Amino acid sequence: MNKTILILGACGQIGTELTLALRQKYGNDQVVASDIRQPEHSELLNGPFEVLDASSASALRSVCEKHEIHTVYHLVAMLSATGEKFPMKAWDLNMQSLLHVLELAREKVIQKLFWPSSIAVFGPTTPKQNTPQQTVMEPSTVYGISKLAGERWCEYYFNKYGVDVRSIRYPGLISWKSQPGGGTTDYAVEIYYKALEEGRYTSFLSAHRALPMMYMDDAIRATIELTEAPIEQVKVRNSYNLAGISFDPTTIAASIEKKIPGFECNCVPDFREEIAASWPESIDDSAAQEDWGWSMDYDLDGMTDAMLRNLRVKLGLS
Ligand code: SER
């Protein structure tokens, strides 16, 4: 059977790297990249690329039919901080595009779907430490509400129609190739750029505001491993917790300071502090470990090494 893959949101932080990783694995022609805009990274044009508005059901259907798509990685979303500025836009974008793809899967136009959830599904009433797979979920952001609703829809389509949908609750994702935009965890990417460019950084989260984070290489590997796991291993059909690495601005700054002596970080919290305060500090991912064998590679210092090494080259500083 044709196993062509479609990436929705291929120009985004996750989409860029996932497209490149899947093309390396399966060949450029097997992976159709798509986004609402033309790519800035010319690398994304080394295989098929479609300009596609994922909130249009008819446009989505015609791209899936044209390329005989088997698996969709749906990475279109408005993140937490921007979502608080544009609540209705965030809700519409995050929900409509998911429902369109679930419908295509129900109709068997596509055979499999990966859709990301987030630590934002948790809220102030969730246990903050070692947050369990199943627990109280009362998110207080529009982004979190849309992700929690999305999780319920995914499980519903699996139970009701047998749709093979798989999902991960990503921690904050740290990457050098492509930047995040509009998230509460973005400070942990910005800090590496500013450390190299200016030797100092002002964090918009407070000094001891810990959040779960993950280096992009681990996130991409988790995404592909879960999506390709044998079906009987996938026992959670709303979304799997992934723990990642938990740290606060003070701890990441100390990790950077080991490599860039004299690096200074201070903290001037803004509205994102309240969002971060509603999320867990650390996550229990034993279900992912037990069901499909998840194991993380990068710890904080390993991630710092990789970020600084790659950014030095990217920014022409080496
Ligand atoms: N990284 C996301 C955000 O900060 C959380 O999933 O919005």
Side-chain angles (χ1 to χ4, degrees), residues 13 79-81 117-120 143 170-173 182-186 279:
Q13 187 197 13
L79 295 186
S80 59
S117 186
S118 158
I119 52 168
Y143 176 64
Y170 288 129
L173 298 180
T184 300
T185 55
D186 297 5
W279 291 349

Side-chain angles (χ1 to χ4, degrees), residues 138-158:
E138 296 181 327
S140 54
T141 62
V142 174
Y143 176 64
I145 295 169
S146 73
K147 287 295 181 188
L148 180 55
E151 285 192 9
R152 303 318 307 146
W153 277 116
C154 287
E155 194 180 85
Y156 181 87
Y157 270 74
F158 172 75

Side-chain angles (χ1 to χ4, degrees), residues 32-286:
V32 180
S34 77
D35 206 293
I36 197 155
R37 59 183 199 270
Q38 284 287 346
E40 282 162 26
H41 284 268
S42 54
E43 280 172 288
L44 289 178
L45 296 173
N46 63 6
F49 188 94
E50 296 276 356
V51 173
L52 171 63
D53 177 359
S55 58
S56 160
S58 57
L60 254 177
R61 178 183 294 271
S62 79
V63 167
C64 289
E65 286 175 350
K66 173 178 162 194
H67 294 279
E68 295 179 41
I69 297 299
H70 178 277
T71 301
V72 171
Y73 289 83
H74 174 304
L75 304 172
V76 174
M78 189 182 288
L79 295 186
S80 59
T82 310
E84 291 310 285
K85 292 182 183 154
F86 307 104
M88 286 304 119
K89 254 189 172 166
W91 175 258
D92 286 346
L93 176 69
N94 296 358
M95 294 316 299
Q96 272 177 10
S97 53
L98 171 62
L99 289 170
H100 294 332
V101 182
L102 284 169
E103 277 293 284
L104 291 175
R106 181 180 66 78
E107 292 175 37
K108 302 269 176 253
V109 175
I110 63 162
Q111 312 308 316
K112 200 191 269 190
L113 166 61
F114 175 86
W115 174 80
S117 186
S118 158
I119 52 168
V121 290
F122 302 116
T125 51
T126 302
K128 270 204 169 324
Q129 303 295 343
N130 218 20
T131 302
Q133 176 66 41
Q134 285 181 301
T135 185
V136 179
M137 296 166 91
E138 296 181 327
S140 54
T141 62
V142 174
Y143 176 64
I145 295 169
S146 73
K147 287 295 181 188
L148 180 55
E151 285 192 9
R152 303 318 307 146
W153 277 116
C154 287
E155 194 180 85
Y156 181 87
Y157 270 74
F158 172 75
N159 286 334
K160 196 102 179 169
Y161 307 118
V163 164
D164 189 359
V165 51
R166 302 167 183 215
S167 177
I168 284 170
R169 291 173 183 149
Y170 288 129
L173 298 180
I174 314 300
S175 61
W176 59 270
K177 197 164 262 192
S178 182
Q179 280 186 282
T184 300
T185 55
D186 297 5
Y187 92 87
V189 176
E190 288 171 14
I191 195 169
Y192 288 110
Y193 280 84
K194 293 285 182 191
L196 286 168
E197 288 170 338
E198 297 173 22
R200 68 186 64 212
Y201 177 64
T202 302
S203 162
F204 57 74
L205 297 187
S206 61
H208 297 295
R209 178 60 61 208
L211 287 173
M213 305 275 186
M214 179 175 273
Y215 186 51
M216 186 60 88
D217 289 28
D218 274 331
I220 296 294
R221 189 167 55 76
T223 302
I224 297 174
E225 282 179 16
L226 172 61
T227 306
E228 298 186 350
I231 198 157
E232 64 279 5
Q233 289 182 5
V234 185
K235 295 177 184 146
V236 171
R237 291 296 182 156
N238 53 340
S239 191
Y240 277 100
N241 275 7
L242 279 198
I245 322 159
S246 287
F247 57 80
D248 60 20
T250 308
T251 314
I252 187 175
S255 173
I256 294 172
E257 217 263 337
K258 286 187 219 164
K259 295 281 169 188
I260 304 180
F263 171 63
E264 281 173 34
C265 178
N266 55 29
C267 299
V268 181
D270 68 12
F271 73 101
R272 289 168 281 193
E273 171 71 6
E274 193 185 331
I275 299 176
S278 75
W279 291 349
E281 294 186 354
S282 63
I283 302 274
D284 171 15
D285 68 3
S286 45

